[in-house]
Amino acid sequence: MQSELKIMMAGSSTPDLLQRSRIIKSVDTRGMACPYPSFESVKAMSLLNDVNGCIEVITDSEESAFKSIPSVCQKRKWQFLVLEKAKNLWVVRIALT
């Protein structure tokens, strides 16, 4: 399944590594409007204490995938990767730096 995901935006110096990273927690935010997917991202990241893993946020909100979640990641100095899973469906992988 990971090979089907197309990288749309990278906020990581090692996007390939982040794409293959172990997923610690998956959060499905489909149907949630901005800014709720960002809030859920921050909440899930507070549980991440494994630098070798990541969380993934599934969203159907283009604004969340390309603006609000990446903005939160940049402010907190987290690595992120926006992957296209299907039309109007994205997976954002987030990891500690």
Side-chain angles (χ1 to χ4, degrees):
M1 184 168 135
Q2 289 182 351
S3 61
E4 299 171 15
L5 302 177
K6 179 180 174 187
I7 296 175
M8 302 300 290
M9 176 187 253
S12 169
S13 58
T14 54
D16 296 342
L17 187 61
L18 186 52
Q19 189 172 14
R20 293 187 313 267
S21 187
R22 183 170 54 97
I23 298 165
I24 306 295
K25 181 166 180 65
S26 183
V27 181
D28 191 342
T29 65
R30 286 179 277 196
M32 291 184 186
C34 263
Y36 295 102
S38 297
F39 296 160
E40 293 298 320
S41 301
V42 171
K43 191 169 21 173
M45 283 299 288
S46 70
L47 303 173
L48 185 67
N49 57 10
D50 184 351
V51 294
N52 296 316
C54 70
I55 66 153
E56 73 171 8
V57 180
I58 303 164
T59 183
D60 55 1
S61 166
E62 185 173 358
E63 184 177 353
S64 293
F66 293 100
K67 291 182 184 172
S68 64
I69 295 174
S71 177
V72 166
C73 292
Q74 289 168 342
K75 287 177 185 171
R76 294 173 183 258
K77 298 189 180 354
W78 293 335
Q79 296 183 60
F80 69 92
L81 194 58
V82 180
L83 304 161
E84 183 178 52
K85 188 169 185 170
K87 183 176 173 149
N88 297 319
L89 186 62
W90 300 273
V91 174
V92 183
R93 298 243 172 100
I94 307 171
L96 299 168
T97 51

